[in-house]
Amino acid sequence: MNNDVSNKVAIIGGTGPQGKGLALRLALAGVSVVLGSRDPAKAAETAQQLIATLAEQDCKADITGLSMEDATKAADDLVILSVPYSGHDATLTALAPLLVGKTLVDIVVPLAPGNPKAVVMPAAGSVTESAQLLLGDDIPVVGALHNVSAVTLNDLSRGINCDILVCGNDLDAKKRVMALIEKMGTQAYNAGLAESARCVEALTPILIRLNISKDVPFSHAGVRICPPDH
């Protein structure tokens, strides 16, 4: 496989806050986006809303809304999974036959039920590893975009205020995902194999805790990799 950025990317769970924010950022960067939902009518309606939002930015966006299955089929290569953790495994099980020949970009974090300030890591070690185990080694899984606030993604008046840590066992797949992320104007770093997702996913509730703390004078912060200043 080459490392070219896909011309058409699917976002499964694309009608949620994270999915909509990613769709806006990718479409603004010139990427064609297909939103996938259990309710294709809702996906189509959301797509039109996002197109209208981007028209205010003088951007003629290519965003469509379909069922989860049709959106997965429509993707050239990269399929982003942005669903609640409670529906993660069931969604992947349903889509697995359609993911053959594609790369799954898993952005799901296993937040504890009723407590976003904690995680309950799955038996495999991380959601990324769980997805790889479920799909098998022939379908590359790349963990990414775990630490980005949905509010940040949807606020087009500002750039994305964090770097993106990318992990997975297939280097070519990671490079394609990193190239896609960097089209959104932020830096992506190869954080290692899929097992690194245990650390990356676990950072999210720490950020949530900081962002809602009354002792911290900001919200919606992310992770930044800071090189030496010399």
XYZ file of all heavy atoms in Angstrom, residues 119-194:
543
model
N -11.245 5.620 33.288
C -11.400 4.639 32.213
C -11.544 3.248 32.807
O -11.091 2.973 33.912
C -10.199 4.641 31.234
C -10.192 5.869 30.360
C -8.887 4.486 31.982
N -12.175 2.388 32.048
C -12.207 0.954 32.358
C -11.608 0.258 31.151
O -12.297 0.014 30.157
C -13.644 0.471 32.632
C -13.638 -1.034 32.917
C -14.256 1.228 33.794
N -10.314 -0.013 31.218
C -9.620 -0.566 30.056
C -10.093 -1.994 29.794
O -10.283 -2.784 30.721
C -8.110 -0.547 30.278
C -7.543 0.841 30.581
S -7.925 2.093 29.319
C -6.758 1.658 28.029
N -10.299 -2.342 28.534
C -10.767 -3.696 28.201
C -9.705 -4.754 28.449
O -8.527 -4.439 28.644
C -11.101 -3.585 26.712
C -10.291 -2.430 26.216
C -10.159 -1.480 27.358
N -10.118 -5.998 28.410
C -9.211 -7.108 28.714
C -8.005 -7.137 27.781
O -6.904 -7.539 28.188
C -9.976 -8.425 28.640
N -8.187 -6.690 26.550
C -7.081 -6.705 25.578
C -6.021 -5.662 25.898
O -4.924 -5.707 25.335
C -7.614 -6.473 24.169
N -6.321 -4.721 26.784
C -5.366 -3.689 27.165
C -5.793 -2.299 26.768
O -5.533 -1.336 27.472
N -6.436 -2.178 25.620
C -6.919 -0.888 25.121
C -8.009 -1.149 24.100
O -8.177 -2.279 23.608
C -5.778 -0.095 24.474
O -5.323 -0.742 23.293
N -8.755 -0.102 23.759
C -9.781 -0.238 22.729
C -9.138 -0.544 21.379
O -9.642 -1.354 20.599
C -10.640 1.040 22.645
C -11.633 0.950 21.498
C -11.376 1.270 23.951
N -8.015 0.089 21.110
C -7.304 -0.151 19.848
C -6.926 -1.617 19.713
O -7.136 -2.237 18.650
C -6.051 0.735 19.773
O -6.424 2.109 19.880
C -5.301 0.520 18.471
N -6.386 -2.184 20.780
C -6.011 -3.601 20.748
C -7.238 -4.504 20.658
O -7.211 -5.547 19.984
C -5.199 -3.947 21.988
C -3.818 -3.311 21.994
C -3.130 -3.451 23.336
O -3.503 -2.710 24.278
O -2.225 -4.318 23.459
N -8.320 -4.109 21.311
C -9.558 -4.886 21.221
C -10.068 -4.933 19.786
O -10.507 -5.982 19.298
C -10.634 -4.269 22.125
O -10.329 -4.447 23.477
N -10.010 -3.780 19.119
C -10.462 -3.710 17.729
C -9.597 -4.583 16.832
O -10.113 -5.302 15.960
C -10.442 -2.271 17.246
N -8.286 -4.547 17.046
C -7.394 -5.368 16.224
C -7.648 -6.847 16.448
O -7.650 -7.655 15.505
C -5.932 -5.033 16.536
C -4.930 -5.648 15.569
C -5.058 -5.078 14.164
O -4.548 -4.012 13.877
N -5.754 -5.793 13.279
N -7.891 -7.220 17.698
C -8.189 -8.620 18.022
C -9.502 -9.050 17.379
O -9.612 -10.159 16.837
C -8.261 -8.775 19.545
C -8.357 -10.186 20.111
C -7.103 -10.990 19.780
C -8.547 -10.141 21.626
N -10.483 -8.187 17.419
C -11.794 -8.512 16.861
C -11.743 -8.638 15.341
O -12.351 -9.546 14.767
C -12.798 -7.439 17.276
C -14.280 -7.686 17.027
C -15.123 -6.886 18.014
C -14.683 -7.307 15.608
N -11.007 -7.739 14.688
C -10.985 -7.710 13.228
C -9.973 -8.669 12.620
O -10.095 -9.057 11.455
C -10.685 -6.287 12.736
C -11.754 -5.238 13.029
C -11.282 -3.863 12.585
C -13.076 -5.592 12.359
N -8.954 -9.050 13.394
C -7.906 -9.907 12.853
C -6.794 -9.101 12.220
O -6.962 -7.921 11.876
N -5.662 -9.725 12.058
C -4.454 -9.015 11.615
C -4.522 -8.510 10.179
O -3.727 -7.654 9.784
C -3.226 -9.915 11.776
C -2.892 -10.191 13.234
O -3.311 -9.382 14.085
O -2.236 -11.204 13.514
N -5.443 -9.034 9.369
C -5.491 -8.623 7.963
C -6.130 -7.247 7.773
O -6.024 -6.659 6.693
C -6.260 -9.660 7.135
C -5.498 -10.976 6.993
O -4.261 -10.951 7.171
O -6.139 -12.009 6.734
N -6.814 -6.740 8.796
C -7.414 -5.405 8.725
C -6.654 -4.513 9.693
O -6.785 -4.656 10.907
C -8.908 -5.433 9.090
C -9.676 -6.325 8.118
C -9.483 -4.005 9.084
C -11.144 -6.512 8.479
N -5.822 -3.596 9.189
C -5.033 -2.743 10.090
C -5.926 -1.838 10.930
O -6.901 -1.259 10.434
C -4.173 -1.904 9.135
C -4.209 -2.619 7.829
C -5.532 -3.306 7.777
N -5.592 -1.728 12.215
C -6.271 -0.816 13.124
C -5.262 0.218 13.602
O -4.166 -0.139 14.047
C -6.879 -1.552 14.332
C -7.479 -0.547 15.331
C -7.938 -2.548 13.876
N -5.622 1.472 13.495
C -4.772 2.571 13.950
C -5.533 3.351 15.015
O -6.662 3.812 14.772
C -4.378 3.503 12.792
C -3.565 4.697 13.310
C -3.588 2.741 11.741
N -4.950 3.485 16.202
C -5.538 4.291 17.252
C -5.059 5.732 17.126
O -3.865 5.980 16.978
N -5.983 6.682 17.161
C -5.605 8.090 16.981
C -6.725 8.995 17.463
O -7.860 8.556 17.668
C -5.313 8.377 15.502
N -6.396 10.277 17.651
C -7.377 11.329 17.934
C -8.139 11.110 19.239
O -9.252 11.577 19.403
C -8.375 11.452 16.760
C -7.741 11.916 15.441
C -8.597 11.504 14.258
C -7.551 13.425 15.463
N -7.504 10.411 20.187
C -8.164 10.117 21.454
C -8.249 11.336 22.380
O -9.135 11.404 23.231
C -7.416 9.010 22.199
C -7.329 7.723 21.462
N -6.173 7.262 20.873
C -8.270 6.782 21.218
C -6.401 6.100 20.303
N -7.662 5.776 20.485
N -7.303 12.254 22.249
C -7.150 13.312 23.249
C -7.632 14.677 22.784
O -7.327 15.688 23.406
C -5.674 13.424 23.663
C -5.062 12.104 24.064
O -3.927 11.813 23.718
N -5.794 11.279 24.797
N -8.405 14.720 21.686
C -8.869 15.994 21.135
C -10.296 16.263 21.589
O -11.176 15.421 21.430
C -8.831 15.989 19.594
C -9.139 17.373 19.050
C -7.489 15.518 19.094
N -10.531 17.441 22.129
C -11.862 17.822 22.566
C -12.799 18.000 21.374
O -12.445 18.611 20.362
C -11.780 19.135 23.356
O -13.032 19.757 23.451
N -14.017 17.482 21.508
C -15.018 17.680 20.460
C -15.343 19.160 20.293
O -15.576 19.631 19.180
C -16.290 16.902 20.799
N -15.330 19.906 21.398
C -15.575 21.345 21.325
C -14.496 22.019 20.475
O -14.795 22.881 19.636
C -15.607 21.957 22.741
C -15.649 23.485 22.675
C -16.800 21.427 23.522
N -13.255 21.610 20.676
C -12.149 22.167 19.884
C -12.330 21.864 18.406
O -12.164 22.740 17.547
C -10.807 21.586 20.372
O -10.559 22.040 21.700
C -9.653 22.005 19.471
N -12.685 20.627 18.083
C -12.840 20.246 16.679
C -13.942 21.051 16.001
O -13.827 21.417 14.833
C -13.155 18.752 16.576
C -12.005 17.787 16.886
C -12.520 16.354 16.913
C -10.883 17.930 15.869
N -14.997 21.329 16.732
C -16.139 22.032 16.140
C -15.967 23.545 16.091
O -16.740 24.222 15.418
C -17.411 21.686 16.918
C -17.977 20.323 16.557
O -18.667 20.180 15.558
N -17.669 19.320 17.369
N -14.953 24.077 16.774
C -14.716 25.523 16.789
C -13.747 25.899 15.672
O -12.531 25.902 15.853
C -14.159 25.944 18.150
C -13.968 27.455 18.257
O -14.269 28.173 17.280
O -13.506 27.912 19.319
N -14.296 26.223 14.526
C -13.453 26.498 13.358
C -12.774 27.860 13.415
O -11.983 28.194 12.534
C -14.293 26.393 12.082
C -14.903 25.014 11.801
C -15.682 25.039 10.493
C -13.839 23.925 11.771
N -13.066 28.639 14.451
C -12.392 29.932 14.597
C -10.973 29.760 15.124
O -10.192 30.704 15.121
C -13.180 30.845 15.542
O -13.130 30.369 16.883
N -10.640 28.553 15.571
C -9.314 28.274 16.125
C -8.752 27.005 15.527
O -9.495 26.117 15.110
C -9.380 28.120 17.650
C -9.810 29.382 18.397
C -9.854 29.120 19.900
N -10.115 30.340 20.657
C -11.319 30.817 20.923
N -12.379 30.170 20.488
N -11.467 31.931 21.614
N -7.426 26.914 15.529
C -6.781 25.686 15.101
C -6.903 24.618 16.174
O -7.296 24.888 17.308
N -6.558 23.390 15.829
C -6.558 22.294 16.797
C -5.383 22.506 17.742
O -4.237 22.614 17.309
C -6.454 20.936 16.079
C -7.692 20.717 15.199
C -6.311 19.801 17.079
C -7.629 19.470 14.337
N -5.671 22.566 19.037
C -4.671 23.002 20.015
C -3.893 21.854 20.647
O -3.476 21.938 21.798
C -5.367 23.805 21.134
C -6.330 22.942 21.936
O -6.890 21.989 21.398
N -6.526 23.273 23.199
N -3.714 20.773 19.911
C -2.917 19.678 20.470
C -2.300 18.852 19.352
O -2.716 18.932 18.190
C -3.764 18.802 21.385
S -5.111 17.944 20.572
N -1.275 18.091 19.730
C -0.676 17.126 18.815
C -1.423 15.803 18.938
O -2.091 15.541 19.934
C 0.805 16.923 19.156
C 1.618 18.201 19.006
O 1.299 18.997 18.099
O 2.559 18.404 19.789
N -1.278 14.962 17.926
C -2.018 13.707 17.877
C -1.047 12.530 17.963
O -0.122 12.422 17.150
C -2.849 13.596 16.583
C -3.700 14.857 16.378
C -3.698 12.338 16.611
C -4.685 15.138 17.477
N -1.271 11.671 18.943
C -0.458 10.467 19.113
C -1.145 9.318 18.383
O -2.323 9.030 18.621
C -0.307 10.153 20.606
C 0.347 11.266 21.435
C 0.352 10.898 22.915
C 1.765 11.542 20.952
N -0.389 8.672 17.505
C -0.932 7.638 16.616
C -0.238 6.318 16.916
O 0.993 6.256 16.997
C -0.724 8.030 15.142
C -1.219 6.946 14.209
C -1.412 9.365 14.837
N -1.006 5.252 17.084
C -0.392 3.959 17.376
C -1.073 2.852 16.588
O -2.225 2.969 16.180
C -0.429 3.666 18.880
S -2.031 3.912 19.646
N -0.343 1.767 16.378
C -0.860 0.635 15.613
C 0.276 -0.254 15.165
O 1.449 0.138 15.214
N -0.060 -1.433 14.692
C 0.969 -2.416 14.336
C 1.389 -2.367 12.882
O 2.366 -3.019 12.501
C 0.460 -3.829 14.675
C 0.181 -3.999 16.157
O 0.790 -3.341 16.991
N -0.757 -4.884 16.483
N 0.678 -1.611 12.053
C 0.973 -1.526 10.618
C 1.533 -0.135 10.320
O 0.811 0.865 10.380
C -0.302 -1.785 9.813
C -0.050 -1.874 8.315
O 0.546 -0.921 7.753
O -0.463 -2.867 7.701
N 2.814 -0.070 9.991
C 3.474 1.230 9.799
C 2.892 1.995 8.622
O 2.676 3.207 8.712
C 4.979 1.028 9.611
C 5.808 2.298 9.405
C 5.651 3.250 10.588
C 7.278 1.944 9.180
N 2.637 1.322 7.496
C 2.078 2.019 6.337
C 0.713 2.619 6.670
O 0.401 3.746 6.270
C 1.949 1.063 5.149
C 3.288 0.756 4.501
O 4.243 1.521 4.731
O 3.373 -0.246 3.765
N -0.096 1.866 7.396
C -1.417 2.380 7.779
C -1.272 3.599 8.675
O -1.989 4.594 8.511
C -2.214 1.286 8.487
N -0.341 3.543 9.623
C -0.124 4.696 10.502
C 0.303 5.916 9.700
O -0.152 7.038 9.973
C 0.929 4.361 11.561
C 0.405 3.542 12.711
C 1.400 3.450 13.863
C 2.588 2.582 13.524
N 3.438 2.335 14.710
N 1.169 5.731 8.735
C 1.636 6.860 7.938
C 0.489 7.500 7.160
O 0.425 8.724 7.025
C 2.745 6.407 6.987
C 4.074 6.131 7.686
C 5.144 5.724 6.685
C 6.494 5.527 7.365
N 7.544 5.114 6.399
N -0.443 6.685 6.649
C -1.584 7.244 5.922
C -2.488 8.034 6.867
O -2.993 9.095 6.510
C -2.369 6.129 5.234
C -1.608 5.451 4.108
C -2.530 4.636 3.217
N -3.242 3.593 3.936
C -2.741 2.412 4.272
N -1.483 2.125 3.969
N -3.469 1.504 4.893
N -2.681 7.506 8.062
C -3.510 8.208 9.039
C -2.839 9.507 9.482
O -3.497 10.548 9.606
C -3.802 7.301 10.251
C -4.529 8.068 11.348
C -4.618 6.086 9.813
N -1.536 9.463 9.697
C -0.810 10.674 10.098
C -0.891 11.745 9.011
O -1.060 12.927 9.310
C 0.642 10.323 10.417
C 0.791 9.488 11.693
S 2.430 8.759 11.900
C 3.418 10.242 12.181
N -0.795 11.325 7.759
C -0.898 12.286 6.654
C -2.283 12.929 6.625
O -2.429 14.135 6.383
C -0.602 11.595 5.325
N -3.321 12.131 6.895
C -4.679 12.675 6.934
C -4.826 13.682 8.071
O -5.380 14.770 7.889
C -5.681 11.538 7.113
C -7.149 11.971 7.192
C -7.647 12.418 5.816
C -8.019 10.839 7.733
N -4.329 13.327 9.243
C -4.426 14.209 10.407
C -3.717 15.531 10.148
O -4.225 16.607 10.485
C -3.841 13.508 11.646
C -4.773 12.376 12.095
C -3.611 14.502 12.788
C -4.162 11.448 13.107
N -2.558 15.460 9.530
C -1.784 16.675 9.307
C -2.440 17.594 8.287
O -2.168 18.795 8.272
C -0.349 16.313 8.939
C 0.394 15.735 10.152
C 1.808 15.259 9.867
O 2.225 15.276 8.682
O 2.488 14.876 10.831
N -3.335 17.056 7.458
C -4.107 17.921 6.571
C -5.022 18.856 7.362
O -5.419 19.912 6.876
C -4.944 17.074 5.594
C -4.146 16.448 4.464
C -5.033 15.651 3.543
C -5.909 16.518 2.675
N -5.145 17.232 1.640
N -5.338 18.475 8.598
C -6.195 19.318 9.438
C -5.398 20.402 10.150
O -5.954 21.151 10.966
C -6.943 18.454 10.459
C -7.945 17.500 9.832
S -9.017 16.668 11.063
C -7.846 15.571 11.869
N -4.096 20.485 9.887
C -3.295 21.583 10.419
C -2.674 21.322 11.772
O -2.278 22.265 12.456
N -2.571 20.072 12.168
C -1.925 19.747 13.433
C -0.866 18.676 13.210
O -0.799 18.070 12.142
C -2.956 19.291 14.487
O -2.333 19.247 15.767
C -3.530 17.923 14.158
N -0.025 18.456 14.207
C 1.093 17.530 14.092
C 0.695 16.154 14.609
O 0.060 16.029 15.653
C 2.288 18.042 14.901
C 3.526 17.175 14.831
C 4.157 17.186 13.446
O 4.341 18.247 12.852
N 4.468 16.016 12.927
N 1.068 15.114 13.870
C 0.837 13.736 14.300
C 2.174 13.057 14.550
O 3.139 13.271 13.816
C 0.043 12.973 13.241
N 2.227 12.244 15.600
C 3.445 11.522 15.963
C 3.161 10.028 16.039
O 2.122 9.611 16.568
C 3.963 11.987 17.321
C 4.531 13.387 17.328
C 3.738 14.471 17.684
C 5.861 13.623 16.977
C 4.252 15.757 17.696
C 6.376 14.910 16.978
C 5.569 15.979 17.343
O 6.087 17.255 17.344
N 4.084 9.241 15.534
C 4.009 7.789 15.649
C 4.371 7.411 17.080
O 5.521 7.517 17.494
C 4.973 7.135 14.657
C 4.931 5.616 14.716
O 4.228 5.017 15.542
N 5.682 4.976 13.839
N 3.388 6.968 17.854
C 3.591 6.657 19.271
C 3.892 5.190 19.520
O 3.976 4.769 20.672
C 2.362 7.076 20.069
N 4.023 4.402 18.448
C 4.415 3.011 18.633
C 3.334 2.023 18.227
O 2.399 2.339 17.493
N 3.480 0.796 18.717
C 2.568 -0.282 18.379
C 1.215 -0.086 19.072
O 1.033 0.816 19.885
C 3.181 -1.626 18.765
C 4.507 -1.986 18.064
C 5.070 -3.289 18.608
C 4.326 -2.062 16.557
N 0.286 -0.963 18.766
C -1.073 -0.834 19.294
C -1.101 -0.803 20.816
O -1.944 -0.136 21.412
C -1.943 -1.978 18.771
